Amino acid sequence: MPSTTRKPTRVRRREIAEAALRVIGERGAPSLTAATLAAEVGLTPGALFRHFASVDEILCEAVEVAVEALERTFPPAAAPPLERLRRLALERIALVTERPGYSWLLLSDQVSLCVPDAAVERLRELVRRSRTFLMRAFEDGVASGALRSDVPPQTMLVLFTGTVHSLIAAGGVHREAASPAAPRPVIGALLALLENPSPPPTSPDESVAT
């Protein structure tokens, strides 16, 4: 039954945007209609469009909600390189596998056909920021001796993002096909492979005076 509870417009807009992502993630993009969305959020179709002018506007808000959540997964840039990589991977995988609609936004080729251009560009900005953040972590890791120097940072980026995307997909659209691998040991193994096998020697400053 449609809800008769009145909520502030800002709250309702976010609820509707999150419901849109939920419908897409669970039933696919073609299932997102005014009727299915209204039923999902507990409103009539007419009430739905008191908060948004169109389905496209709802999709733009949905992208904004997802991007804001994904941006919160960036760890501090001052953290050690390996910690930056580990935290970003695990927090993003946890967030996206919990909300399949986010996975659709990040990984599906249909997004550019279903989502307004302004929202697609917002997603592209997130992807560019993510790549820049990761490249800086890889470069810092090589420069500090924490990561191996015989693998170019660009190659590390491909291996890292491919692994993260694979884990996201395993926990999302392929959930019923096979048991998804636990992200923590997989990311740990990848970072262990990328670590410098001959770390720099301990600083003389750490010696104990006698």
Side-chain angles (χ1 to χ4, degrees):
M1 174 181 287
S3 171
T4 58
T5 303
R6 286 190 173 275
K7 296 183 180 180
T9 295
R10 178 180 57 80
V11 173
R12 274 298 190 198
R13 283 176 63 91
R14 181 163 290 266
E15 284 183 352
I16 293 167
E18 290 176 343
L21 288 170
R22 201 159 54 245
V23 169
I24 290 171
E26 294 173 357
R27 300 176 234 171
S31 298
L32 184 66
T33 65
T36 58
L37 183 54
E40 180 73 17
V41 81
L43 294 172
T44 64
L48 193 72
F49 291 109
R50 284 202 293 271
H51 300 284
F52 291 97
S54 64
V55 172
D56 275 357
E57 188 175 316
I58 293 171
L59 285 169
C60 285
E61 182 72 11
V63 167
E64 191 61 33
V65 166
V67 168
E68 287 176 2
L70 288 161
E71 284 180 336
R72 290 193 291 271
T73 64
F74 284 106
L82 284 169
E83 182 64 15
R84 275 181 260 166
L85 295 168
R86 182 178 293 105
R87 285 180 57 181
L88 179 63
L90 294 178
E91 290 182 23
R92 192 158 288 188
I93 291 167
L95 174 66
V96 175
T97 53
E98 181 183 323
R99 301 178 183 181
Y102 290 25
S103 176
W104 179 79
L105 288 176
L106 292 176
L107 303 181
S108 176
D109 293 333
Q110 297 178 350
V111 171
S112 60
L113 302 176
C114 302
V115 174
D117 290 346
V120 172
E121 182 56 31
R122 188 78 170 94
L123 289 169
R124 287 174 178 160
E125 288 174 5
L126 175 69
V127 171
R128 287 193 290 267
R129 182 184 170 194
S130 298
R131 289 175 61 87
T132 299
F133 182 92
L134 290 170
M135 278 298 293
R136 180 61 182 272
F138 288 125
E139 291 167 352
D140 288 351
V142 171
S144 67
L147 294 174
R148 56 195 312 146
S149 59
D150 58 337
V151 178
Q154 186 64 42
T155 301
M156 294 185 186
L157 176 67
V158 173
L159 294 170
F160 187 87
T161 55
T163 300
V164 170
H165 289 174
S166 177
L167 288 167
I168 288 172
V173 294
H174 302 301
R175 189 188 307 273
E176 301 300 328
S179 297
R184 188 172 296 276
V186 174
I187 295 300
L190 174 62
L191 294 180
L193 291 172
L194 296 178
E195 279 190 82
N196 186 354
S198 303
T202 302
S203 170
D205 294 339
E206 295 181 8
S207 60
V208 178
T210 57

